[in-house]
């Protein structure tokens, strides 16, 4: 039927932009937006089969709760201690760690830089859970990470900054030398 055909059409960009050969050649935004077609896919699945809601209620509820929890956890400001471009096109980011922020090896945080894109990008935490501060080592391989590295090259001073009426975990402003323009970096755990 119609809903089944539409779901197949939606899978084409989702799978296509997930292929490594494609993902490395296109902007991250295409990958991100194509993968958020999953919302339309689930709506079509609910319309396609009257009993699908039985399978969707629990995972759908967990997803919504995770999104709400993520936005609520980002209410305490944590300063960026250091951002430095290192050898091998790696950007080092060190943030103060809130006493209540706990993580395990292999977990990640999301970073957004509105001057580059409004999207959030996940990066693995490179510090050990026992360390006082949180560190990230970001390889500048894509267009977004390369632009972030370029903006950080212009860094002169780092300070805490309130963004959009809500504090985020690690919201800072980097002042560009000789300019009043500011780079805003927002990190969400």
């Amino acid at each position: 039927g119609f809903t089944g055909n539409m779901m197949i059409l939606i899978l084409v960009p989702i799978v296509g932009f997930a292929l490594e050969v494609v993902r490395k050649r296109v902007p991250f935004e295409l990958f991100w937006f194509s993968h958020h077609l999953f919302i339309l896919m689930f709506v079509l699945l609910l319309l396609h089969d009257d009993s699908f809601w039985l399978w969707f209620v629990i995972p759908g509820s967990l997803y919504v709760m995770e999104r709400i929890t993520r936005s609520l956890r980002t209410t305490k400001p944590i300063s960026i201690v250091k951002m430095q471009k290192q050898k091998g096109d790696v950007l080092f980011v060190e943030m103060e760690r809130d006493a209540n922020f706990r993580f395990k090896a292999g977990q990640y945080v999301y970073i957004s830089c509105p001057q580059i894109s409004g999207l959030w990008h996940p990066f693995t935490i490179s510090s050990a859970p026992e360390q006082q501060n949180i560190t990230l080592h970001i390889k500048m391989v894509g267009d977004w990470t390369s632009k972030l590295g370029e903006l950080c090259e212009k860094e002169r001073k780092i300070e805490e900054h309130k963004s959009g009426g809500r504090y985020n975990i690690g919201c800072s402003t980097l002042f560009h030398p000789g300019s009043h323009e500011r780079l805003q970096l927002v990190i969400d755990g």
Side-chain angles (χ1 to χ4, degrees):
F2 175 75
T3 54
N5 290 332
M6 292 304 295
M7 288 185 287
I8 290 171
L9 287 176
I10 289 171
L11 280 175
V12 171
I14 291 175
V15 172
F17 287 114
L19 297 172
E20 188 174 358
V21 68
V22 175
R23 205 172 56 236
K24 287 187 175 186
R25 292 193 167 112
V26 299
F28 177 81
E29 286 79 2
L30 289 176
F31 170 81
W32 191 88
F33 284 118
S34 70
H35 275 68
H36 280 77
L37 289 173
F38 82 92
I39 296 167
L40 182 56
M41 179 80 139
F42 281 116
V43 170
L44 288 169
L45 272 167
L46 287 166
L47 295 173
H48 185 75
D49 183 6
D50 293 341
S51 63
F52 177 71
W53 70 271
L54 294 168
W55 303 102
F56 178 75
V57 169
I58 293 174
S61 299
L62 290 173
Y63 175 77
V64 169
M65 288 181 349
E66 188 273 334
R67 297 299 292 193
I68 292 169
T69 302
R70 184 187 302 175
S71 68
L72 294 175
R73 279 193 330 217
T74 61
T75 57
K76 294 181 182 178
I78 296 178
S79 298
I80 303 291
V81 175
K82 183 178 184 181
M83 293 183 81
Q84 180 182 43
K85 193 172 176 183
Q86 297 181 334
K87 291 179 183 179
D89 287 331
V90 172
L91 181 64
F92 173 78
V93 180
E94 182 178 358
M95 303 168 283
E96 287 182 358
R97 180 175 173 178
D98 182 80
N100 297 322
F101 183 74
R102 291 178 173 75
F103 67 94
K104 296 179 182 176
Q107 288 186 314
Y108 56 92
V109 292
Y110 286 96
I111 295 180
S112 175
C113 182
Q115 286 82 346
I116 300 171
S117 161
L119 300 180
W120 293 84
H121 295 256
F123 294 98
T124 304
I125 299 170
S126 58
S127 55
E130 300 80 25
Q131 289 179 298
Q132 181 180 355
N133 290 335
I134 299 168
T135 61
L136 308 173
H137 287 81
I138 301 170
K139 179 74 172 166
M140 294 178 284
V141 291
D143 55 341
W144 191 89
T145 54
S146 296
K147 288 177 186 174
L148 181 62
E150 290 169 14
L151 290 172
C152 290
E153 283 282 308
K154 299 174 184 176
E155 172 188 344
R156 183 167 52 123
K157 180 182 176 184
I158 299 175
E159 74 175 17
E160 203 169 54
H161 179 69
K162 187 175 180 182
S163 167
R166 144 185 156 194
Y167 279 114
N168 293 283
I169 178 175
C171 183
S172 71
T173 301
L174 308 174
F175 292 92
H176 294 192
S179 169
H180 298 290
E181 187 178 318
R182 294 178 174 183
L183 164 65
Q184 182 182 18
L185 182 65
V186 183
I187 300 179
D188 176 21

